[in-house]
Amino acid sequence: AGGLADGTTRTQELICPPGFYCEGDGHRIACAAGAACPEGSSGPDVTACSQVDVFCPEGGGGAQAVDPGFVAVSNAAGTSNVGQAECGSVAYYCAGGIKTLIAAGFYGVGASPTTQHTQAPCGDASVWCTGGVKRVAQAGYRTLGSPVSQRSSEAACKSNKIFCVNGVSSNVPSGGYAVPEGSVPHVGFEVCPVGSYCVDGTRLPCPHGTYGVLTG
């Protein structure tokens, strides 16, 4: 076993090289995909390629580790791995050959959206993450989720008492009103002008018989 003959005249015996196996008749046979054939193999080893984090390409000398951001591809019988493929969806990351759904409040990290190999917290309150994608909070919206670094959704600032900038809600100060008036979301506030008074972020006209001489 392990003998190798090239040509018609045998002048020496060589050990079977990696990527081949030698059954003992002096001929070497290329190792099929899904099997490992290290140096000196007398037959293919399919058990070496059955773990989720390895694969054996055609002509390979041994099992190769699945790259970060990739998953192993098995043969038709599902008994050994013959190659690797990109992780795929932006909503997943792949490490050690295992495909994992990215958690809410996190985004995927990798060389490309289809080869993400880990996840990371979304960031500050100005962004939110879902489905593995980081999104910037819209004007007049606040981000939701805990802790702040793992915001996973956003909501419009509807109450006249608040306004929202960069994903953070703030109270409209006394003597001010939320803008834009009469619609949501509220993106800021303005000081109550002369002739009006403001209560809970809402501007109201001074009643007949009264007047306001100061802003705010």
Side-chain angles (χ1 to χ4, degrees):
L4 173 64
D6 289 322
T8 58
T9 303
R10 296 185 176 93
T11 58
Q12 62 179 320
E13 183 179 69
L14 301 175
I15 191 168
C16 211
F20 295 85
Y21 65 94
C22 302
E23 294 182 322
D25 60 357
H27 293 84
R28 64 181 182 179
I29 303 171
C31 202
C37 296
E39 186 180 57
S41 295
S42 59
D45 179 11
V46 296
T47 61
C49 311
S50 59
Q51 300 299 314
V52 69
D53 59 346
V54 298
F55 69 99
C56 295
E58 183 177 3
Q64 298 182 19
V66 175
D67 292 328
F70 288 73
V71 291
V73 177
S74 65
N75 59 14
T79 55
S80 63
N81 299 323
V82 300
Q84 63 178 357
E86 293 183 351
C87 195
S89 170
V90 70
Y92 292 84
Y93 71 92
C94 293
I98 299 175
K99 190 172 186 177
T100 304
L101 183 67
I102 295 174
F106 289 76
Y107 67 97
V109 178
S112 74
T114 57
T115 58
Q116 298 174 144
H117 59 83
T118 189
Q119 62 179 4
C122 200
D124 59 32
S126 67
V127 292
W128 57 285
C129 296
T130 185
V133 178
K134 179 185 288 191
R135 297 172 170 84
V136 177
Q138 300 179 75
Y141 282 70
R142 66 184 186 277
T143 54
L144 306 175
S146 181
V148 173
S149 63
Q150 297 173 25
R151 302 292 201 191
S152 58
S153 63
E154 66 176 356
C157 289
K158 296 181 179 181
S159 171
N160 288 340
K161 297 179 181 181
I162 62 173
F163 65 97
C164 293
V165 178
N166 294 329
V168 178
S169 64
S170 300
N171 293 326
V172 175
S174 176
Y177 62 98
V179 293
E181 292 180 274
S183 63
V184 292
H186 299 306
V187 300
F189 77 94
E190 293 185 4
V191 176
C192 216
V194 173
S196 300
Y197 69 101
C198 294
V199 178
D200 292 335
T202 302
R203 180 172 65 162
L204 301 168
C206 290
H208 292 297
T210 65
Y211 66 96
V213 296
L214 300 174
T215 61

